[in-house]
Structure formats: structure tokens, C-alpha cells
Amino acid sequence: MDNGHIEETNFVEIDPATGGATLSFSYASDFPTLPETAPAAAPTAKQTNVWSRPALSKTDVIITFHLASDERSNKVKSFGNTSEESKKAQLIASATKTRIELSESKDGELTVVVKGERAKVEDARARIIRDLQTQASRDVEIPKEHHGRLIGKEGALLRNLEAETNCRIQIPKRDDPSAKITITGPREGIMRAAKHILDVSEHESKLATEHIVCPKNLVPFVRGPHNEIYDRLTATGVKVNIPPPTATNEVISVTGEKDGVLRAAAEIRKIVESKKNVTSIQVQVARTQHRYIIGQARSGIHEILAKTGVVVEVPSEESKSDQVTLIGDANDLAKALTLVIERASSVVTQSIACPQWLHKHLIGPKGATLATLVPNRNNVQIEFDNTNHIFLEGSPEEVKAAFEPLNREVARLQIELAIEKVKVHPSLHRHVIGRGGSLISKIKEQTGVQITIPSEETNSDEIVVEGKKDGVKKAVAEIRSIVTKIENEKSRDIIIPQRLHKLIIGTKGSGVQVIRDSHPNVSIVFPDAKSKSDVVNIRGDKGEVDAVFKKLTVLSKEFAENNYQQTVAIFKEFLKHIVGKGGATIRKLRDETETRIDLPETGSDDGKITVTGKQANVEKAVAQLNKIQEELANVAEESIDIPQKVQNRFFGNGRRLISDIEEECGGVHIRFPSEKSESTKVTIRGPAGDVTKAVGLLSALAKDKEENYVEDTVKAKAEFHRFLIGKGGSKIAKLRDTLNVRIMFPKEGDAEKETIHLLGKKDDVPKAKAALEEAIKHLSETVDIKITVDPKYYKNFLARGAALIKEIQDQNGGVVISFPKNGSDSNEVSIRGSKQCVEAARARIEDTVEDYEKQITDTVSIPAQFHRGLLAGRGAKIHELQSKYNVSVRFPNNRDEGAEASDEVTISGRDTKVEEAKEALLALVPISKVIQLPVDMHRSIIGRGGETVRKLMQDYDVNISIPKDNSSEDITVTGQVDNVEQALEALRGKLSEYEAQAEDRKLKQWSMTINVPTDYHQKIIGQRGATITALKEKYGVNINVPREDGNEAISITGYEEKAKECAAAIEEMISDLRSMFTQEITLDSRYHPRLIGTRGKNLKKVMDDYHVEIRLPRQGAEDPNLVIVAGKDENDVYDCIDHLRAEEETFLLDNVERTQYMSPRQQESHNARPQSGPVTVQMKGAPWQLDIGSSEQFPDMGPSATTTAAVGGAWGSSRRW
């Protein structure tokens, strides 16, 4: 090393006698000294502040303007910045914080450029014009009273005018007698300012103002009754300002145009003059009666003024005075006083103390109770106040008559009724209400109380219960019981794919009923099939909810594994061949693959078959379906090149064009490249002829789209589409062929139901659009016709909410069908709408009437025990039968107790249809047939977890009953006739398979036993059972290895030949194991986990590298350090042993290093483990091992050779220098 130390290495010495180890370290090598000088630091570039941001400035603006030579105030030329104009510009730029540039042309014109923020630039421009432009002055004289209109509030108008004109305007002060206004500034600004001042003055000169002194007591006379005089005066555009009653001012101001002001002022003065000598009197009236004198909106006072010409002044509500003053002519005061007394004494007020919650009981429904209690309700005003009082107001006699019965009723209600508030958290209100209000309604009915639950918006937790006292007590107890129960409940959601819901529910709910029976306090709610939701809700007791959740999780997992789904696209023309005669082909495929295969519905455009079952079986079935399809026809696949930009044009309108071509070409499948792909290959797959046709269409469309194809749309009501398409698509096909335009109508699932898409050549699309619009126009033209219908058939059309009429209207373009009103003698039915739609509706009505005329009623006998099954699923099968044959089917009512059950089912309809419906209905009646199958076979029919029998029942829509405990060979199959026969045929097929396999099963039961030492059992099993599994699969046998210690017998079951071969293979394996070279070695048990490694990876690698087998001791063995190494080659065994010993030695050294700095307690725990011998550590060359007295190792620091007399501490005494 460069620092002068001797480099030493660590080494370990093993004592053969004790087995101990000595680990030596060198202080010089393990703790090297630091270098004498630090390395020079590399020069670093100046770092910029990473957080600094560039300064952001506001947006600057630049304006440029010119001053002509004759407009400049200073025309003296000078050089540089010494001119007067430059100095002023600099001062302005400094004051406004802008940049100003001056430029003078040969003709003396000065160009000024100002740059900066907009507001500051405008300020600088105004200052430059004032300071650099020639200033003029002009005096304008206007009347002094007009000056205020120029100044404005706080001088705002004047400042705006100065800013707009760049002038200074001086207006004389108020105390200055002068009326001259001085304007100073540029000539143009002076002209604008003067014009504005003169315009304002001219406008003000046309106005006039009159002031009339009017005592306050005469103001009502000026206003007149109901403000009639005031309204008449202001109607001419004059503004009359009358001081408010609280003001001390008595001057009425009239402003406006002079003529109107003069007329209004003259009339007001005349009124004031005529009322100058009025007199007044005061009368004392109780303050509570004042409002009756005033009346509503002061109508009483105005009425008295209108009748007598006397003003009535009533003191304000804040005043405590009860003096009412009358002002007017002496002759009119007596009449006015009479009217005041009459109004004051005509009404009295009385109150009744009553809790607010009793108010509604007194009022009753629509005021019925109150009307009974107070017959004179119209003569007295009753107010139910929210201060727990009832106020009665009216004449004294009427108030007294109403007070007594109301007071008695209030006392009675307080004795009989009660109210109580229950505290319930808002989140629990819905549980108290119940589904659809059922629970709260039940409580109300049982207790006869009224329960008020607060709305969600209030977030109140008070439920109010009121009614009779006993009922209130019971209702409150019931509510508290519900709340207590709900608080102990728990709700939990579990996600289960919707397709598994039916399987979990089981036939007629049998599957989920088992869970409900075992957990009666739990409610399991499956979502409606139409909602397409996967969330199943579990609600009930907390502990039981968790248990049900676990059960459903297990069931869901099991069903999901057995109900994997995949769809197969099938060409329509091949579907019947895949199904086979009577469903034979598809049934055979279902049996072979043990899957459920669902075919597309009849009439559906969806050409996909859904396969359900275990994943491996589903994939097998899909492969077979594709194979059948390819064998049935020459399925071809072709690719064409379509540029990417053209591909995008095919995707418009929800891939409507592609779907249209697929449908037109027999259902071929067209696959375009993905959006991110740059490929131009479009693949078409299907029958060879259809593929060729589709390739031609796509190629032509792609070419035309690239050149001159256009798209357009036409809007038409959805009900018109069938008329535009025509019967069998005849009309639209004719239009499509004539104009070479593709017309695409919306499909059932499209959001836009009225848009028709057109695609074709540029010249043909407008023609097709015009033809369609013309057809739509004809359809939209309204006609009105009448047809004769016998009134006895009206009820058939109007039954079930006129369902038949609505159906005819929907199918025929929304025509309006009107039947005569009840009681009318007319037999004419009116149809109004477009001509084609009306004619179609007319034909439908006439056909329907004909059906009714030929209608008959017949009965068919079906045992009552089957009625419920036929009506299952809300009568879906019966509804389908009724719709198909247009008949009505009625079942007898067998629900009445004591009544004899009837078997007769009534069918009504057209004579020909009734017979067909009877046959179809009898075919729906379930039958039961018994088939005998060997008891040993029952288990295979049931299948694992009932999987096989459940699949049979689902495939054939039957119920299969298998006797429990193998008590009988009879298996009962129940269902419709055809379904039962098909199910029996399937069971007979399984019986044939079972009988054919019976001999084979017997042969497979041959068994033999071989003895193998227990030491080799693990080798036969292999890692994770790999070896024994391979043997089972190879020889098709079952191998049973005993688990008990000491038992050496291994049994092998299967075909005799295969079992013997397997036994020979095992014996050969044991022979190979015994022939191996084996060595026993001792390895420290602490090293064993390191040797094994994670999941045995290290051990496996060692065995693979050296081609040996290593057996470690089991837990609890006598010698935990004993390891056995065995192999075919002796050298491999010894090489492996050497490797293991070396690895062990390294592990132990590492272990010593880890434990040397442990605390005493940790070392105690560590040393408690079995060790091969003691381990010691030695350190050489450490500072504490040096001789302190040696002058060589501790030389003197100074020139003096005198040694110190004493040394303080291990490192010597302290020194100073």
C-alpha cells in the first residue's frame, strides 16, 4: 500500500484437538490510515440558482402620434437632448415610467412614440399634448345654475371631460359672481369641450323647477285619496317630490318641462290655499283597534278621505299614543268621526292557548273539522299562529260564538291526544319507513297514530309520533325496536357475475333457499336481470352476514370454474346443420364436451353460439364447432388492401356500413386492422361465394370512397321506416339498385332512431335523398277516414288501458284512432294520419273485428296440480302462447278455501286459432316418466357437486329426481313431452356408455402390493408428488403410499398388466437407489438452511451440478448434523462432499463475524446453539498494543531531550505550544 503500512491478510487457524477456530485480523490492513493531503478539488462551474425564474413583465403597448409644425409650442431646433421638448419628454417619461422617443421631420412635424403599460402610456400621451402642443384659451359663459351639471358628483364629470379633451377647464366658485368658464388646451380639444358645455346648458335651460311650501298636515290632501291627485300630476312627465313624513322640510318640489311644471305647481298651490283654514279634532281609540281604522294597505283612511274629504292621522306603531287626529273642514268632521268609530268598534280580537301540533286536528281535512266547530266561519277570521295560540278576529258577537266551541275542543284534545319525538339517526329512517312505506304504514294501521319522518334535506333526527296516548306509546316502542334491530344489522355486497346468479339461486330458488334456511336472519337480494348488475346484497345479523358471504364466495368460485364462457361466430346457413335433426348433433356435442351450448334466438341477427362449462371443455367444444363449420362448407378467407385514410371512412355511424355488407353477404366476418396498426390488410372470412361477393363490394366501395363517394343523412320518424323499406325490403332495394346508393336504417340498439344514412356517388346521393324526402312527405300528409265498427266490440279495443289501440298506432306510423264517446249512438271510428299508415291501420282494425266476429270459447281439461307450474315465471309461457295464437287463456280460481278444485281451462279466440292453442297448451302440461338405471350408475349421473344432473336439467328443461341413499333404481323425469323424451334418450345413451364401460371398470380394479423400505418412500413420491404423478399417468394406475412410519406396503391398483409394469418400474428405481455409492458426513446443522436455500433451489442446484442425491436429517433426528450423500459415481460423491465442507467453513466464518459484536445476552443465546468448537479473535498491530514508553513509537515533539517525569493517562499528559 502507498501509505507505508505492511499489508496483511486475515486467516483462520483450526485447533485439531479442541476443534476451535482462531480468527486473526491486521489493524494495518483492515483500518488503513488516511492520506496526508486531501485531493485537490476539481474546479466547478458557476452554478445558477435552479429556483430562479425569469422576470415576468406585463404586456407593453406602443402608440405613435404627430404634432404638426404650427401646433408645436417650442419650434427652436437644437442638437441632442438639450431642446426644451426633449427635457419635457424626459420628465414625463420619468413620471409615468414609460419610454418616449421624439423624431422631427424636415417640414417641422414632430413624431412621438410612447411605449409602456397601457394606462401609463395614455397618461404620458395626455401630458405630452398639454406640454408640447400649442395651448390656446377660450371663455364660455353659461348660467351659473348650470355649472353643477358640468362638475358632477365630487367633480367626476369634469375630470372625465378634461381627460377626453386634454384640456384644463376652470369653473368659477360658488361665491364668485362670474359665470365664465375658461378652457385651456389644444384647439381641437377646446372645440370639443366648448360644444359639450353649451349642449349641457341648452338642455338645462329647457327644464324648470317650482317650490311650494305645504304644511305637513295638508300633504294628504295634495296626494288625494288612493294617491289619485299625485298620480294624475306625474302622469304628464312632471316629477313631484313630496318630503317623507319623518322629514322636517315642508317644501314640495316640482321639476320637469316648464309647461308641465307650471300647471302642476298651480294645482298644488290651489289645493294648499283651499285647505288653509281646516280644523282638527282628536279622538281616543284603543291602540289594538288602530289597524282596523287604517285597513289593508291604508284603504280605510283613503276611504274616509274619499267619502268625507277628511284626513285621518293614526299614531305610528312605535308610539304609545292612542289619540287619532281628524283634519278637515268643520262641517265634514262629524261624518268622518262617525266612520272612524264604526271601523274601530266593528272588529275585536281574542286568543286561545293551543299547542301548535293540535292545530291540524282542529282544522281537519280541507277545513272540515273547523267548519263543524265554527258554523260562522265566514264571519270571523281565525288565525293559527306558530306561537301556540289561535287568534279570532271579527265582530264581538261572532268572535264569542266561535271562541266557546274552539276552547272546549282544545281542552278535549289535550286530554285524549299526545305527541312524542323519537331520536333516530337520519341514515336509519329508510329502515323505519320500509320498502314502499310498508313498515311505517303497518305501524300506523296497528296503532292509529300519525308518524312524521323528516325529509332528507333537513337532516333532522326527530321522528314525530302523535295520536291517542296509548297508540303513541305503542308506536314509539315499535320504532325503537326496529332501530335497535337495524343497529345490530350489517349490510355487505359481494360481486358475482350475473350469469352465475341463476345457478346460485337454483331451480325455483332451491339453491339459495338452503342458505336462507341455515341463516334465517339474513336477507340475500339478487339484482334484477334487466339491470345487468353483478352486485348481490347480503343484509342481516353481523355474524351471519359474514358466514353467508363466505358461502357465496365459495359457490361463486365453484360455479365460475364450471361456467367459463366463450362465443363462436357461426354463419347463418350452417346453423341448422350444426343443430342436426331433432338437435342430435348439438346434443351429442354437449354430451362429449360436457358443456352447455346456447344457440341464438330465432329471428335474431346475432349469429353467435355461446358455450359454457369448464375452460378446457369449452375450448374443446369451440374447436369442434369451428371444425364442423369448416367441414360443412368451403370456408374461405381473403385479404384486400384498403389505404388507412379510406379505412376510417368505413367506421362512421357505428360501423353501420360494415354491418350492412356483412348482412348482405350472408353473414361473412370482416376484420379491419386495429387503430394503432399501420397495416392496410382487411380480412374477409366466410363461405367462398359470399367472401368473393364481399371482396367485390369492399373493393368497389374503397375505390369510390377514395374518389367521389359522399355520405348524407335523412331524418324520418321511426314508425315510417317500415313503409319506406317496403314489404321484404322491396322499395329500398329498388332505390338502391336504380341509383347505386347504399341506404342504412337504424338498428334496434342504436341511440339515434330517426336518422337514415346514405352512402354513394356524389351525383346519386342527392337523388336518393330527394326520393326519400318525397316519400316521407307523402307519409307525413294527413288524411282522415271513418270506418264502421259494431259498438259491442269497443270494449275489446279499449281493454287494458286501450292496449290494442296503442299497438295498432305504434305499428302504423302513430296514427290517431278515435272511438265514439260512451253513450253515443255512433258506430264510426275515426282514423287520422298519413295515407299509407291510415290504410294499414284500417286493414288491421277490420281484421281484428273479423276475428272477434268468428270468436269462440272452448275449454280444455288440465289437472289442477299442473296449473301453478304453467303459470310460473309470471305466466311467461301462457303469455307467449296467447301472443302467438292471438287467444285468451283463463285458468280457474282454485284459491278459495273449501272450494272444489277445477281442471277446466278456458280458451277464447278465433275458431281456427283456438284448436291450435289447445294443442300447444296440452303440450306444455308436464308429464313424468320413470327410467330404471343401476344404483352404481346414479353417482355418475349426479356428477361432482350435482354438476352432471344439473346440466341435463338445464339442457332439456326438465326435472330429474334421483332417489336418496340409493334406495331404488327408479329415476323420475318430469317436464314437457318433447323435453322428457329427449332427456330419457340422453339417459339411455349414458346407460349404454355405462354398460360398455362396466367390464373395463372391473379390469381396472386389479390390485397388488409391494414392500419398499420407508427410506425410499419420499423418492417414489418425488418433489411435490411429481414422480408418483408421472407413474400414475404413464401406467394409468392408482398408487397408495402409506403415511404411517414403519409401514413398507405400497398398493398399486389398475389393469393387471399396467400395475405389474408400474411395480417393476418402482423396484427398478429402488434398485438404482440401492446401487448408489453412499457416504455419511457431518455438517453443522446451522448450515443446513443455507444449503437448502429458498424453496430448495440451492440444494437442487448442488445435486444437479454433482449428479448426486443429498439426504438431510429429519426434524428430531438423533444426530442433527448427519448428512448422507449418494451417487452413481464415487468421484462425484467426493467432489460434492468437498464442496459442502468448503461452503460450511465459509458459513461458519461469516457466522463468527456477525456474532463478535453482539451484546452478552445475544451471545449467550447464540452460543447456546450446538457448535463444533470455540472460536477466538486476534487483532495485530492495534494502537493499544504499542509500548507507550518507547521513544521510537512515541517520539518527542520538541527540540528538548528532557523526558517528562510522569505520564498522565494512557496517551500521556496534556501539552501546550
Side-chain angles (χ1 to χ4, degrees):
M1 296 179 66
D2 295 339
N3 56 9
H5 291 282
I6 301 172
E7 186 172 342
E8 300 181 13
T9 57
N10 303 332
F11 61 92
V12 180
E13 295 178 358
I14 305 296
D15 189 347
T18 62
T22 302
L23 183 62
S24 298
F25 290 93
S26 171
Y27 190 85
S29 60
D30 292 324
F31 300 96
T33 59
L34 296 175
E36 296 292 338
T37 58
T44 58
K46 185 178 180 181
Q47 296 181 349
T48 58
N49 186 1
V50 295
W51 299 104
S52 62
R53 294 184 178 178
L56 300 176
S57 60
K58 298 181 180 178
T59 305
D60 292 341
V61 297
I62 300 174
I63 63 170
T64 303
F65 58 94
H66 307 277
L67 298 178
S69 176
D70 56 344
E71 293 180 349
R72 293 170 60 185
S73 60
N74 189 355
K75 300 180 183 179
V76 179
K77 293 186 178 181
S78 60
F79 298 99
N81 297 326
T82 59
S83 68
E84 192 67 26
E85 289 177 336
S86 298
K87 291 178 181 179
K88 290 180 179 180
Q90 289 176 359
L91 292 174
I92 294 170
S94 177
T96 59
K97 296 182 180 179
T98 57
R99 183 177 177 182
I100 301 173
E101 296 178 3
L102 305 178
S103 177
E104 185 178 3
S105 62
K106 292 182 179 180
D107 59 357
E109 184 183 64
L110 184 66
T111 301
V112 184
V113 178
V114 186
K115 182 178 180 182
E117 296 178 17
R118 182 174 296 280
K120 295 178 180 179
V121 165
E122 293 295 336
D123 184 22
R125 180 179 182 278
R127 293 191 185 201
I128 289 170
I129 290 175
R130 282 198 300 269
D131 293 349
L132 301 187
Q133 194 171 5
T134 303
Q135 302 292 306
S137 181
R138 177 179 172 181
D139 293 336
V140 179
E141 188 170 355
I142 61 172
K144 198 168 182 63
E145 57 268 22
H146 299 171
H147 289 185
R149 297 292 297 172
L150 290 174
I151 297 172
K153 187 177 181 180
E154 298 180 356
L157 296 178
L158 182 61
R159 284 196 299 274
N160 289 341
L161 181 60
E162 287 181 335
E164 290 175 2
T165 60
N166 290 320
C167 295
R168 181 172 180 78
I169 304 172
Q170 294 179 338
I171 299 177
K173 296 182 180 179
R174 284 185 182 177
D175 54 358
D176 191 341
S178 173
K180 289 182 180 180
I181 298 174
T182 303
I183 308 170
T184 305
R187 286 192 295 273
E188 182 185 355
I190 290 173
M191 292 174 64
R192 295 208 313 271
K195 183 178 183 303
H196 176 78
I197 291 169
L198 293 174
D199 289 345
V200 170
S201 178
E202 183 180 358
H203 176 73
E204 290 294 320
S205 62
K206 294 179 181 179
L207 303 178
T209 302
E210 290 286 334
H211 301 288
I212 303 121
V213 177
C214 174
K216 283 192 174 183
N217 59 345
L218 300 184
V219 168
F221 295 106
V222 174
R223 289 186 176 276
H226 304 290
N227 275 349
E228 291 175 357
I229 297 174
Y230 178 84
D231 292 342
R232 177 163 47 78
L233 292 175
T234 55
T236 60
V238 174
K239 185 177 180 182
V240 180
N241 183 19
I242 300 175
T246 56
T248 57
N249 184 18
E250 294 185 344
V251 176
I252 296 176
S253 300
V254 185
T255 58
E257 293 187 359
K258 286 185 179 180
D259 295 342
V261 168
L262 293 176
R263 284 196 300 271
E267 187 171 349
I268 294 172
R269 288 191 180 99
K270 183 179 179 181
I271 294 170
V272 172
E273 186 65 27
S274 65
K275 299 297 181 181
K276 186 184 298 184
N277 298 323
V278 295
T279 57
S280 65
I281 61 171
Q282 290 185 335
V283 59
Q284 189 169 351
V285 180
R287 293 179 64 232
T288 56
Q289 305 302 108
H290 286 185
R291 61 194 181 99
Y292 307 122
I293 298 173
I294 297 171
Q296 189 174 2
R298 302 181 67 85
S299 60
I301 293 175
H302 286 297
E303 184 180 342
I304 295 171
L305 178 59
K307 289 181 178 180
T308 63
V310 174
V311 173
V312 180
E313 291 186 353
V314 179
S316 63
E317 293 182 1
E318 292 80 8
S319 173
K320 296 182 179 180
S321 173
D322 56 2
Q323 298 291 330
V324 176
T325 304
L326 283 68
I327 303 171
D329 294 336
N331 298 331
D332 300 328
L333 289 177
K335 183 179 178 181
L337 180 60
T338 302
L339 292 175
V340 168
I341 297 301
E342 284 180 0
R343 293 189 66 85
S345 60
S346 62
V347 180
V348 295
T349 302
Q350 199 164 357
S351 66
I352 301 171
C354 175
Q356 189 175 354
W357 64 273
L358 286 178
H359 290 180
K360 58 178 174 291
H361 298 284
L362 292 170
I363 296 171
K366 297 183 179 180
T369 306
L370 186 61
T372 305
L373 291 171
V374 185
N376 60 338
R377 175 75 179 83
N378 297 329
N379 301 328
V380 62
Q381 183 178 352
I382 303 174
E383 182 180 349
F384 291 85
D385 195 72
N386 55 8
T387 58
N388 297 326
H389 283 83
I390 303 173
F391 292 97
L392 290 81
E393 185 178 288
S395 63
E397 297 80 8
E398 300 291 347
V399 169
K400 184 177 180 182
F403 176 82
E404 292 178 356
L406 275 176
N407 198 30
R408 285 196 302 272
E409 185 65 13
V410 168
R412 184 186 71 81
L413 291 175
Q414 286 180 328
I415 293 172
E416 295 181 359
L417 303 183
I419 185 171
E420 190 169 345
K421 296 180 179 179
V422 187
K423 294 280 187 179
V424 178
H425 194 275
S427 62
L428 302 179
H429 288 179
R430 61 188 181 91
H431 300 288
V432 176
I433 296 170
R435 181 174 292 178
S438 58
L439 196 54
I440 201 74
S441 300
K442 182 180 176 182
I443 297 173
K444 288 180 181 178
E445 289 173 4
Q446 291 177 348
T447 60
V449 299
Q450 184 174 354
I451 303 174
T452 305
I453 296 180
S455 63
E456 294 180 0
E457 291 79 8
T458 61
N459 201 31
S460 173
D461 61 350
E462 289 186 349
I463 295 179
V464 181
V465 184
E466 54 184 291
K468 292 187 178 180
K469 291 186 177 179
D470 292 341
V472 169
K473 188 176 181 180
K474 291 179 182 177
V476 169
E478 184 68 22
I479 291 172
R480 286 178 176 155
S481 173
I482 293 169
V483 171
T484 304
K485 181 181 177 183
I486 295 300
E487 286 176 344
N488 292 328
E489 281 190 351
K490 178 180 180 180
S491 180
R492 192 170 181 183
D493 291 338
I494 179 172
I495 305 298
I496 300 176
Q498 193 180 44
R499 62 188 180 87
L500 303 180
H501 291 183
K502 189 176 180 181
L503 300 173
I504 292 175
I505 294 170
T507 307
K508 297 181 181 180
S510 58
V512 76
Q513 190 60 42
V514 174
I515 300 176
R516 287 174 175 156
D517 292 343
S518 58
H519 301 280
N521 296 323
V522 173
S523 169
I524 305 172
V525 181
F526 287 85
D528 187 10
K530 296 179 181 178
S531 67
K532 296 182 179 179
S533 173
D534 296 335
V535 180
V536 178
N537 179 258
I538 312 168
R539 185 167 60 85
D541 185 76
K542 295 178 180 178
E544 293 190 19
V545 165
D546 292 335
V548 172
F549 183 89
K550 290 180 181 178
K551 288 185 178 180
L552 286 177
T553 301
V554 172
L555 276 176
S556 173
K557 186 177 180 181
E558 181 181 334
F559 282 124
E561 290 175 354
N562 297 327
N563 287 273
Y564 173 77
Q565 273 192 352
Q566 196 171 336
T567 58
V568 186
I570 300 295
F571 302 110
K572 295 178 183 178
E573 60 268 30
F574 304 147
L575 189 59
K576 60 182 179 180
H577 301 289
I578 290 174
V579 174
K581 188 175 182 180
T585 306
I586 199 73
R587 191 159 52 247
K588 181 181 178 184
L589 184 59
R590 286 170 177 157
D591 294 340
E592 289 178 353
T593 59
E594 296 181 354
T595 57
R596 187 175 78 248
I597 302 175
D598 298 322
L599 303 173
E601 295 181 5
T602 307
S604 171
D605 293 335
D606 184 14
K608 292 182 179 179
I609 292 177
T610 304
V611 186
T612 308
K614 291 185 178 180
Q615 185 172 357
N617 295 343
V618 168
E619 291 172 352
K620 181 180 177 183
V622 169
Q624 290 192 28
L625 283 170
N626 286 327
K627 183 179 179 182
I628 292 171
Q629 186 173 210
E630 290 174 1
E631 290 174 353
L632 286 170
N634 182 19
V635 176
E637 183 174 306
E638 288 191 28
S639 298
I640 60 172
D641 287 324
I642 298 179
Q644 278 190 320
K645 63 179 182 179
V646 180
Q647 287 181 24
N648 296 330
R649 300 180 188 177
F650 282 89
F651 300 147
N653 306 317
R655 298 174 63 93
R656 175 65 46 74
L657 179 58
I658 299 172
S659 301
D660 202 44
I661 295 172
E662 287 178 338
E663 187 174 346
E664 184 178 337
C665 297
V668 298
H669 304 303
I670 302 173
R671 186 171 67 251
F672 279 79
S674 61
E675 293 182 6
K676 297 181 179 180
S677 173
E678 297 181 357
S679 175
T680 60
K681 296 289 183 184
V682 177
T683 306
I684 305 101
R685 187 173 182 271
D690 293 334
V691 168
T692 304
K693 183 179 177 182
V695 168
L697 280 173
L698 280 173
S699 300
L701 283 172
K703 183 179 179 182
D704 289 331
K705 273 182 171 290
E706 196 169 7
E707 294 175 357
N708 58 355
Y709 254 43
V710 295
E711 298 180 23
D712 207 344
T713 58
V714 178
K715 290 273 188 178
K717 293 181 180 178
E719 50 265 28
F720 289 167
H721 290 181
R722 59 191 292 263
F723 298 101
L724 294 173
I725 294 170
K727 190 173 182 180
S730 57
K731 293 183 180 179
I732 210 66
K734 181 179 178 182
L735 191 61
R736 184 183 291 174
D737 296 340
T738 305
L739 296 174
N740 193 20
V741 174
R742 185 170 293 277
I743 303 170
M744 294 165 284
F745 285 83
K747 292 187 177 180
E748 186 177 350
D750 292 349
E752 183 57 61
K753 300 290 185 183
E754 296 186 353
T755 305
I756 303 169
H757 296 272
L758 310 178
L759 176 67
K761 292 186 177 180
K762 192 181 297 183
D763 298 334
D764 292 341
V765 167
K767 295 177 183 178
K769 183 175 182 180
L772 285 173
E773 288 175 342
E774 183 67 22
I776 294 167
K777 181 180 178 183
H778 287 310
L779 286 172
S780 302
E781 291 176 357
T782 303
V783 297
D784 198 340
I785 66 170
K786 296 183 183 296
I787 61 172
T788 302
V789 177
D790 195 326
K792 67 181 179 181
Y793 300 126
Y794 288 177
K795 62 181 180 180
N796 301 94
F797 286 94
L798 301 174
R800 302 190 308 277
L804 182 56
I805 295 176
K806 291 177 181 176
E807 180 186 343
I808 297 172
Q809 289 174 332
D810 293 341
Q811 291 178 353
N812 295 280
V815 296
V816 178
I817 303 174
S818 302
F819 278 74
K821 295 181 179 179
N822 289 336
S824 174
D825 296 333
S826 174
N827 61 354
E828 291 184 340
V829 175
S830 173
I831 308 174
R832 188 170 183 272
S834 63
K835 187 174 181 180
Q836 294 183 32
C837 299
V838 165
E839 290 299 329
R842 175 180 184 173
R844 174 68 188 281
I845 292 174
E846 290 174 348
D847 290 344
T848 304
V849 170
E850 185 181 356
D851 288 343
Y852 288 137
E853 289 174 347
K854 296 183 179 181
Q855 190 174 43
I856 64 169
T857 300
D858 200 354
T859 58
V860 59
S861 180
I862 298 175
Q865 66 191 59
F866 298 124
H867 291 185
R868 187 173 181 180
L870 291 173
L871 294 171
R874 299 183 180 180
K877 294 180 180 178
I878 302 302
H879 288 315
E880 184 180 353
L881 186 144
Q882 290 180 140
S883 301
K884 183 176 181 180
Y885 298 103
N886 194 22
V887 296
S888 174
V889 181
R890 293 185 179 276
F891 283 79
N893 185 7
N894 295 329
R895 296 180 182 177
D896 298 336
E897 294 183 3
E900 186 177 353
S902 174
D903 297 339
E904 299 300 322
V905 178
T906 305
I907 305 176
S908 301
R910 191 160 184 169
D911 48 3
T912 56
K913 297 293 184 181
V914 167
E915 291 301 322
E916 296 177 6
K918 284 173 65 176
E919 294 177 4
L921 185 59
L922 288 172
L924 293 176
V925 176
I927 64 167
S928 296
K929 288 192 176 183
V930 177
I931 183 172
Q932 291 184 338
L933 298 176
V935 173
D936 295 341
M937 183 182 172
H938 290 186
R939 185 175 180 183
S940 64
I941 293 174
I942 296 171
R944 183 179 180 183
E947 177 185 356
T948 306
V949 71
R950 188 162 51 245
K951 183 176 180 301
L952 283 170
M953 291 192 290
Q954 289 174 353
D955 289 345
Y956 300 105
D957 193 18
V958 295
N959 182 45
I960 300 176
S961 177
I962 301 174
K964 295 182 179 179
D965 303 327
N966 298 328
S967 58
S968 171
E969 292 185 348
D970 294 343
I971 293 179
T972 306
V973 182
T974 305
Q976 296 178 23
V977 179
D978 295 341
N979 296 346
V980 168
E981 290 299 331
Q982 292 177 9
L984 290 175
E985 187 64 30
L987 288 173
R988 292 188 190 102
K990 287 188 176 292
L991 177 60
S992 300
E993 293 176 6
Y994 179 81
E995 290 173 348
Q997 296 171 0
E999 184 63 27
D1000 184 63
R1001 282 196 301 274
K1002 185 177 180 181
L1003 293 174
K1004 286 182 71 174
Q1005 296 303 315
W1006 192 87
S1007 179
M1008 67 176 293
T1009 303
I1010 60 174
N1011 291 324
V1012 177
T1014 56
D1015 293 341
Y1016 300 110
H1017 284 187
Q1018 187 59 40
K1019 290 300 295 180
I1020 294 172
I1021 295 171
Q1023 188 176 7
R1024 297 185 181 181
T1027 305
I1028 197 169
T1029 301
L1031 288 170
K1032 287 178 180 179
E1033 292 177 354
K1034 181 176 180 181
Y1035 298 103
V1037 297
N1038 184 34
I1039 304 171
N1040 183 21
V1041 179
R1043 294 185 179 180
E1044 303 84 6
D1045 291 338
N1047 188 354
E1048 298 182 348
I1050 295 178
S1051 64
I1052 305 171
T1053 305
Y1055 294 114
E1056 181 179 359
E1057 182 183 355
K1058 294 292 183 182
K1060 289 179 178 179
E1061 290 179 5
C1062 181
I1066 293 174
E1067 289 174 351
E1068 184 181 354
M1069 186 186 305
I1070 301 304
S1071 176
D1072 290 343
L1073 291 173
R1074 285 174 173 168
S1075 66
M1076 285 185 177
F1077 178 74
T1078 304
Q1079 285 291 309
E1080 294 182 353
I1081 62 171
T1082 299
L1083 292 178
D1084 195 315
S1085 60
R1086 292 174 295 170
Y1087 167 63
H1088 293 183
R1090 170 74 66 87
L1091 172 60
I1092 296 170
T1094 307
R1095 298 182 180 178
K1097 288 183 179 179
N1098 292 352
L1099 183 62
K1100 186 175 183 302
K1101 186 176 184 303
V1102 173
M1103 290 192 294
D1104 291 343
D1105 290 346
Y1106 292 96
H1107 307 291
V1108 297
E1109 178 191 349
I1110 301 174
R1111 292 198 291 274
L1112 299 173
R1114 294 185 179 182
Q1115 190 173 5
E1118 293 182 3
D1119 186 358
N1121 301 323
L1122 181 64
V1123 177
I1124 299 173
V1125 183
K1128 293 182 179 180
D1129 189 343
E1130 182 179 348
N1131 294 329
D1132 290 341
V1133 172
Y1134 283 120
D1135 290 344
C1136 180
I1137 291 172
D1138 292 341
H1139 171 76
L1140 292 177
R1141 291 195 184 281
E1143 289 291 323
E1144 178 198 25
E1145 183 178 341
T1146 304
F1147 171 77
L1148 292 176
L1149 290 175
D1150 292 342
N1151 194 47
V1152 169
E1153 291 179 3
R1154 284 196 302 272
T1155 58
Q1156 64 177 328
Y1157 296 110
M1158 287 183 180
S1159 65
R1161 185 176 298 176
Q1162 289 174 317
Q1163 288 181 4
E1164 248 176 58
S1165 172
H1166 185 76
N1167 292 334
R1169 304 174 188 170
Q1171 296 181 359
S1172 57
V1175 179
T1176 58
V1177 180
Q1178 289 184 355
M1179 178 67 70
K1180 296 180 180 180
W1184 55 84
Q1185 295 172 338
L1186 301 178
D1187 184 4
I1188 297 176
S1190 171
S1191 59
E1192 183 181 352
Q1193 295 177 353
F1194 289 92
D1196 291 335
M1197 300 295 294
S1200 174
T1202 308
T1203 59
T1204 55
V1207 178
W1211 301 98
S1213 61
S1214 60
R1215 300 178 182 178
R1216 298 176 184 172
W1217 56 86

